């Protein structure tokens, strides 16, 4: 029986972790964009939180694509 390649196993686990982390967010990327567009300029804390969440999702999506 052939042993699985350790690097491929790691990539599969990392891909799965990215999927799980993305699913844990309460909103989609499109919803975040709409929320950011509707946020008032004076609501800096909300805007910063949305930007952070969008960047984190973007990074996870990029990692997921690289690992596919």
């Amino acid at each position: 029986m052939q042993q699985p390649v350790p690097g491929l196993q790691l990539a599969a686990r990392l891909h799965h972790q990215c999927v799980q982390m993305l699913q844990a967010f309460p909103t989609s990327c499109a919803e975040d964009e709409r929320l950011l567009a509707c946020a008032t300029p004076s609501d800096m804390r909300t805007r910063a939180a949305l930007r952070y969440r969008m960047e984190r999702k973007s990074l996870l999506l990029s990692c997921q694509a690289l690992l596919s």
Side-chain angles (χ1 to χ4, degrees):
M1 185 169 159
Q2 201 174 38
Q3 291 292 326
V5 179
L8 292 177
Q9 285 181 317
L10 178 59
R13 284 192 301 219
L14 289 172
H15 183 271
H16 180 73
Q17 188 68 27
C18 287
V19 169
Q20 285 185 318
M21 291 173 75
L22 283 164
Q23 290 175 345
F25 282 104
T27 56
S28 68
C29 293
E31 289 170 318
D32 289 344
E33 288 177 18
R34 284 193 296 275
L35 290 169
L36 185 59
C38 295
T40 60
S42 62
D43 197 355
M44 294 172 72
R45 188 172 283 171
T46 297
R47 294 176 70 78
L50 285 166
R51 282 193 195 106
Y52 171 79
R53 189 164 66 193
M54 291 169 68
E55 284 297 318
R56 188 170 168 127
K57 288 178 188 177
S58 177
L59 177 63
L60 287 168
L61 287 168
S62 294
C63 289
Q64 183 181 7
L66 287 171
L67 295 166
S68 292

XYZ file of all heavy atoms in Angstrom:
529
model
N 0.850 -1.179 0.000
C 0.000 0.000 0.000
C 0.894 1.240 0.000
O 1.843 1.339 0.777
C -0.908 -0.016 1.223
C -1.883 1.093 1.250
S -3.089 0.760 2.561
C -3.684 2.372 2.820
N 0.559 2.180 -0.846
C 1.370 3.389 -0.969
C 1.030 4.387 0.142
O -0.138 4.622 0.446
C 1.102 4.017 -2.329
C 2.174 4.929 -2.799
C 1.885 5.392 -4.213
O 0.740 5.631 -4.558
N 2.910 5.494 -5.016
N 2.056 4.967 0.749
C 1.862 5.948 1.812
C 1.505 7.311 1.204
O 2.086 7.698 0.193
C 3.139 6.086 2.647
C 3.474 4.879 3.481
C 2.471 4.667 4.595
O 1.940 5.609 5.162
N 2.192 3.412 4.901
N 0.559 8.032 1.822
C 0.236 9.370 1.339
C 1.445 10.296 1.483
O 2.251 10.153 2.403
C -0.901 9.840 2.237
C -1.351 8.649 2.998
C -0.252 7.629 2.943
N 1.567 11.229 0.580
C 2.663 12.192 0.614
C 2.380 13.196 1.734
O 1.312 13.815 1.754
C 2.789 12.917 -0.746
C 3.902 13.938 -0.718
C 3.001 11.906 -1.857
N 3.298 13.356 2.702
C 3.059 14.246 3.839
C 2.706 15.682 3.426
O 1.834 16.307 4.017
C 4.369 14.212 4.613
C 5.010 12.925 4.231
C 4.580 12.666 2.816
N 3.351 16.198 2.401
C 3.059 17.563 1.961
C 1.638 17.707 1.441
O 0.978 18.722 1.669
N 1.151 16.667 0.759
C -0.216 16.701 0.250
C -1.228 16.604 1.389
O -2.283 17.235 1.343
C -0.444 15.583 -0.764
C 0.317 15.712 -2.083
C 0.046 14.505 -2.970
C -0.043 17.002 -2.789
N -0.895 15.829 2.394
C -1.778 15.733 3.563
C -1.864 17.080 4.270
O -2.950 17.513 4.662
C -1.255 14.687 4.553
C -1.480 13.268 4.127
C -0.956 12.306 5.176
O 0.123 12.486 5.735
N -1.735 11.266 5.440
N -0.739 17.726 4.415
C -0.713 19.035 5.063
C -1.510 20.044 4.249
O -2.298 20.811 4.804
C 0.729 19.515 5.238
C 0.903 20.897 5.869
C 0.276 20.954 7.249
C 2.381 21.248 5.935
N -1.346 20.036 2.940
C -2.087 20.961 2.081
C -3.590 20.723 2.205
O -4.377 21.672 2.272
C -1.635 20.813 0.630
N -3.992 19.469 2.255
C -5.417 19.144 2.387
C -5.969 19.628 3.718
O -7.075 20.164 3.790
C -5.630 17.641 2.234
N -5.182 19.445 4.779
C -5.630 19.919 6.107
C -5.724 21.437 6.153
O -6.662 21.985 6.718
C -4.694 19.411 7.195
C -4.910 17.947 7.525
C -4.172 17.569 8.775
N -2.740 17.834 8.604
C -1.770 17.079 9.033
N -2.052 15.991 9.699
N -0.512 17.387 8.826
N -4.739 22.109 5.563
C -4.764 23.572 5.538
C -5.939 24.082 4.712
O -6.605 25.053 5.099
C -3.452 24.127 4.985
C -2.238 23.982 5.888
C -0.974 24.386 5.131
C -2.393 24.817 7.147
N -6.200 23.436 3.588
C -7.346 23.810 2.758
C -8.640 23.666 3.555
O -9.493 24.562 3.551
C -7.389 22.951 1.493
C -8.491 23.311 0.565
N -9.736 22.755 0.649
C -8.526 24.193 -0.474
C -10.510 23.267 -0.295
N -9.784 24.138 -0.985
N -8.781 22.547 4.228
C -9.971 22.294 5.052
C -10.107 23.350 6.152
O -11.209 23.836 6.421
C -9.905 20.884 5.655
C -11.071 20.540 6.501
N -12.320 20.278 5.976
C -11.188 20.431 7.843
C -13.157 20.023 6.967
N -12.491 20.098 8.109
N -9.000 23.717 6.757
C -9.020 24.737 7.809
C -9.471 26.088 7.244
O -10.248 26.800 7.882
C -7.636 24.866 8.453
C -7.600 25.740 9.674
C -8.352 25.148 10.852
O -8.490 23.944 10.987
N -8.840 26.007 11.710
N -9.003 26.437 6.058
C -9.426 27.690 5.412
C -10.933 27.685 5.176
O -11.619 28.674 5.439
C -8.700 27.894 4.085
S -6.966 28.348 4.242
N -11.448 26.563 4.678
C -12.882 26.439 4.427
C -13.662 26.623 5.726
O -14.646 27.374 5.779
C -13.209 25.078 3.774
C -14.709 24.813 3.741
C -12.620 25.010 2.375
N -13.229 25.974 6.783
C -13.919 26.079 8.071
C -13.893 27.507 8.606
O -14.897 28.001 9.122
C -13.297 25.136 9.089
C -13.653 23.689 8.866
C -13.117 22.805 9.979
O -11.989 22.978 10.431
N -13.914 21.855 10.412
N -12.756 28.159 8.499
C -12.649 29.530 9.004
C -13.544 30.478 8.210
O -14.193 31.357 8.786
C -11.196 29.990 8.976
C -10.327 29.265 9.986
S -8.584 29.647 9.826
C -8.535 31.285 10.536
N -13.611 30.287 6.896
C -14.484 31.124 6.081
C -15.953 30.892 6.420
O -16.743 31.833 6.477
C -14.234 30.856 4.595
C -12.977 31.491 4.026
C -12.617 30.867 2.684
C -13.145 32.998 3.898
N -16.310 29.647 6.662
C -17.702 29.333 7.008
C -18.091 29.872 8.379
O -19.276 30.094 8.635
C -17.932 27.826 6.953
C -17.912 27.271 5.552
C -18.011 25.754 5.512
O -17.833 25.073 6.521
N -18.278 25.221 4.334
N -17.123 30.116 9.230
C -17.410 30.607 10.579
C -17.777 32.091 10.600
O -18.361 32.567 11.577
C -16.206 30.360 11.487
N -17.447 32.818 9.536
C -17.802 34.232 9.490
C -19.314 34.378 9.338
O -19.940 33.624 8.596
C -17.101 34.932 8.316
C -15.661 35.242 8.568
C -14.670 34.475 7.975
C -15.283 36.296 9.376
C -13.331 34.759 8.188
C -13.953 36.584 9.599
C -12.982 35.811 9.003
N -19.899 35.370 10.006
C -21.355 35.539 9.941
C -21.849 36.158 8.636
O -23.044 36.144 8.363
C -21.653 36.459 11.123
C -20.410 37.254 11.308
C -19.280 36.315 10.924
N -20.943 36.694 7.828
C -21.342 37.369 6.603
C -20.457 36.919 5.432
O -19.358 36.415 5.637
C -21.194 38.896 6.730
O -19.842 39.197 7.087
C -22.133 39.471 7.782
N -20.952 37.161 4.229
C -20.167 36.877 3.031
C -19.334 38.107 2.674
O -19.535 39.197 3.228
C -21.101 36.542 1.870
O -21.833 37.698 1.488
N -18.442 37.944 1.715
C -17.635 39.082 1.253
C -18.529 40.167 0.661
O -18.322 41.357 0.910
C -16.609 38.620 0.220
S -15.342 37.532 0.891
N -19.527 39.748 -0.111
C -20.445 40.711 -0.724
C -21.227 41.477 0.344
O -21.429 42.699 0.218
C -21.393 39.993 -1.673
N -21.650 40.787 1.396
C -22.375 41.460 2.480
C -21.471 42.464 3.187
O -21.915 43.562 3.538
C -22.908 40.434 3.481
C -24.046 39.602 2.943
C -24.408 38.444 3.844
O -23.502 37.777 4.379
O -25.619 38.208 4.011
N -20.221 42.103 3.405
C -19.274 43.030 4.027
C -19.092 44.280 3.178
O -19.047 45.393 3.708
C -17.918 42.356 4.254
C -17.945 41.324 5.360
O -18.898 41.329 6.163
O -17.004 40.512 5.421
N -19.004 44.099 1.866
C -18.854 45.250 0.975
C -20.072 46.169 1.063
O -19.919 47.392 1.107
C -18.650 44.786 -0.469
C -17.279 44.185 -0.698
C -17.091 43.666 -2.110
O -17.860 44.058 -3.014
O -16.164 42.867 -2.304
N -21.263 45.580 1.110
C -22.486 46.392 1.240
C -22.518 47.117 2.576
O -22.869 48.295 2.644
C -23.732 45.524 1.071
C -24.020 45.146 -0.369
C -25.416 44.567 -0.536
N -25.614 43.315 0.181
C -25.299 42.117 -0.272
N -24.730 41.991 -1.456
N -25.522 41.043 0.435
N -22.143 46.414 3.637
C -22.122 47.049 4.964
C -21.125 48.200 5.010
O -21.410 49.252 5.579
C -21.784 46.011 6.039
C -22.851 44.967 6.340
C -22.275 43.854 7.212
C -24.040 45.613 7.016
N -19.976 48.006 4.402
C -18.964 49.060 4.380
C -19.456 50.267 3.581
O -19.253 51.407 3.982
C -17.651 48.528 3.807
C -16.469 49.485 3.826
C -16.135 49.928 5.251
C -15.254 48.841 3.182
N -20.130 49.997 2.478
C -20.658 51.083 1.650
C -21.729 51.883 2.391
O -21.864 53.096 2.172
C -21.229 50.516 0.355
N -22.458 51.224 3.276
C -23.533 51.892 4.027
C -23.052 52.535 5.319
O -23.768 53.350 5.902
C -24.641 50.891 4.353
S -25.500 50.263 2.908
N -21.884 52.171 5.779
C -21.376 52.708 7.054
C -21.063 54.193 6.895
O -20.539 54.629 5.871
C -20.127 51.948 7.485
N -21.391 54.944 7.902
C -21.126 56.379 7.853
C -19.633 56.624 8.048
O -18.960 55.875 8.768
C -21.912 57.124 8.946
O -21.509 56.618 10.221
C -23.406 56.932 8.785
N -19.114 57.673 7.411
C -17.690 57.984 7.564
C -17.278 58.203 9.025
O -16.142 57.942 9.400
C -17.518 59.264 6.748
C -18.627 59.238 5.763
C -19.775 58.556 6.459
N -18.211 58.675 9.842
C -17.869 58.936 11.246
C -17.796 57.659 12.082
O -17.266 57.666 13.188
C -18.889 59.892 11.860
O -20.174 59.304 11.832
N -18.335 56.560 11.563
C -18.311 55.297 12.305
C -17.016 54.557 11.991
O -17.008 53.494 11.353
C -19.534 54.460 11.940
C -19.797 53.348 12.935
O -18.973 53.167 13.870
O -20.811 52.659 12.774
N -15.919 55.102 12.442
C -14.594 54.586 12.111
C -14.344 53.184 12.660
O -13.682 52.375 12.015
C -13.526 55.558 12.593
C -13.582 56.881 11.856
S -12.501 58.122 12.558
C -10.916 57.498 12.055
N -14.876 52.893 13.823
C -14.656 51.584 14.433
C -15.316 50.477 13.600
O -14.702 49.441 13.338
C -15.191 51.575 15.864
C -14.836 50.323 16.630
C -15.205 50.422 18.066
N -14.197 51.265 18.729
C -14.292 51.707 19.949
N -15.350 51.418 20.677
N -13.350 52.436 20.480
N -16.547 50.708 13.167
C -17.252 49.734 12.339
C -16.552 49.562 11.005
O -16.365 48.439 10.519
C -18.713 50.171 12.114
O -19.376 50.207 13.377
C -19.440 49.212 11.188
N -16.142 50.670 10.392
C -15.456 50.611 9.106
C -14.135 49.839 9.232
O -13.802 49.025 8.368
C -15.221 52.024 8.575
C -16.526 52.745 8.222
C -16.293 54.180 7.792
N -15.639 54.269 6.503
C -16.231 54.107 5.332
N -17.524 53.831 5.289
N -15.565 54.216 4.207
N -13.410 50.072 10.298
C -12.142 49.368 10.513
C -12.382 47.870 10.714
O -11.646 47.039 10.174
C -11.398 49.954 11.706
N -13.419 47.531 11.473
C -13.735 46.116 11.712
C -14.126 45.426 10.415
O -13.708 44.288 10.157
C -14.853 46.000 12.740
N -14.905 46.099 9.589
C -15.317 45.524 8.311
C -14.115 45.342 7.386
O -13.979 44.312 6.728
C -16.367 46.402 7.644
C -17.767 46.315 8.257
C -18.646 47.459 7.761
C -18.396 44.974 7.927
N -13.254 46.332 7.336
C -12.060 46.218 6.491
C -11.171 45.066 6.953
O -10.633 44.319 6.134
C -11.272 47.525 6.501
C -11.864 48.569 5.625
C -10.882 49.720 5.429
N -11.561 50.855 4.884
C -11.876 51.957 5.552
N -11.548 52.088 6.814
N -12.493 52.942 4.954
N -11.014 44.931 8.255
C -10.212 43.830 8.807
C -10.816 42.484 8.408
O -10.119 41.586 7.944
C -10.129 43.950 10.332
C -9.509 42.734 10.980
C -8.130 42.563 10.976
C -10.297 41.762 11.576
C -7.548 41.439 11.558
C -9.730 40.640 12.156
C -8.361 40.489 12.144
O -7.801 39.378 12.703
N -12.122 42.362 8.589
C -12.800 41.108 8.267
C -12.677 40.803 6.769
O -12.431 39.657 6.378
C -14.265 41.194 8.689
C -15.007 39.895 8.600
C -16.293 39.904 9.367
N -17.259 40.825 8.797
C -18.375 41.217 9.427
N -18.632 40.783 10.640
N -19.203 42.032 8.844
N -12.816 41.818 5.938
C -12.691 41.627 4.493
C -11.275 41.202 4.107
O -11.098 40.316 3.262
C -13.091 42.913 3.768
C -14.577 43.215 3.869
S -15.018 44.874 3.307
C -14.678 44.740 1.563
N -10.273 41.792 4.729
C -8.887 41.417 4.439
C -8.606 39.990 4.883
O -7.923 39.235 4.194
C -7.913 42.381 5.118
C -7.792 43.710 4.435
C -7.225 43.595 3.031
O -6.266 42.811 2.815
O -7.745 44.273 2.136
N -9.118 39.632 6.030
C -8.905 38.273 6.535
C -9.544 37.243 5.605
O -8.945 36.212 5.281
C -9.477 38.156 7.950
C -9.144 36.854 8.613
C -9.507 36.894 10.066
N -9.431 35.562 10.588
C -8.735 35.228 11.650
N -8.071 36.134 12.308
N -8.709 33.989 12.072
N -10.766 37.542 5.160
C -11.434 36.641 4.220
C -10.666 36.561 2.911
O -10.541 35.481 2.322
C -12.865 37.104 3.956
C -13.801 36.887 5.110
C -15.174 37.420 4.766
C -16.080 37.392 5.970
N -17.390 37.974 5.676
N -10.175 37.674 2.439
C -9.410 37.700 1.198
C -8.164 36.821 1.307
O -7.844 36.062 0.394
C -9.023 39.142 0.853
O -8.232 39.181 -0.286
N -7.493 36.912 2.421
C -6.302 36.091 2.647
C -6.667 34.605 2.692
O -5.992 33.772 2.081
C -5.618 36.510 3.948
C -4.395 35.716 4.362
C -3.284 35.866 3.330
C -3.902 36.181 5.721
N -7.735 34.272 3.392
C -8.166 32.876 3.464
C -8.579 32.351 2.098
O -8.263 31.200 1.738
C -9.320 32.725 4.460
C -8.935 32.849 5.933
C -10.185 32.968 6.800
C -8.085 31.687 6.372
N -9.266 33.168 1.307
C -9.667 32.752 -0.037
C -8.446 32.532 -0.929
O -8.407 31.588 -1.718
C -10.612 33.781 -0.656
C -12.023 33.802 -0.075
C -12.775 35.050 -0.540
C -12.773 32.542 -0.447
N -7.451 33.392 -0.795
C -6.225 33.230 -1.572
C -5.498 31.953 -1.185
O -5.034 31.208 -2.059
C -5.308 34.435 -1.367
O -5.883 35.595 -1.888
N -5.395 31.701 0.107
C -4.738 30.466 0.571
C -5.507 29.242 0.103
O -4.912 28.254 -0.349
C -4.646 30.464 2.093
S -3.470 31.636 2.753
N -6.826 29.304 0.176
C -7.653 28.197 -0.259
C -7.430 27.924 -1.747
O -7.280 26.767 -2.154
C -9.115 28.535 0.005
C -10.080 27.449 -0.327
C -11.521 27.852 -0.064
O -11.815 28.999 0.255
N -12.426 26.925 -0.209
N -7.345 28.955 -2.548
C -7.125 28.779 -3.989
C -5.748 28.186 -4.260
O -5.605 27.312 -5.122
C -7.273 30.125 -4.703
N -4.750 28.617 -3.526
C -3.397 28.079 -3.716
C -3.308 26.610 -3.330
O -2.515 25.861 -3.909
C -2.391 28.878 -2.896
C -2.044 30.273 -3.406
C -1.220 31.021 -2.379
C -1.296 30.168 -4.729
N -4.090 26.214 -2.360
C -4.034 24.847 -1.864
C -4.954 23.886 -2.622
O -4.930 22.690 -2.370
C -4.380 24.821 -0.373
C -3.403 25.539 0.543
C -3.997 25.759 1.917
C -2.095 24.778 0.621
N -5.732 24.413 -3.532
C -6.670 23.565 -4.308
C -5.946 22.826 -5.397
O -4.950 23.215 -5.912
C -7.767 24.418 -4.919
O -8.593 24.930 -3.903
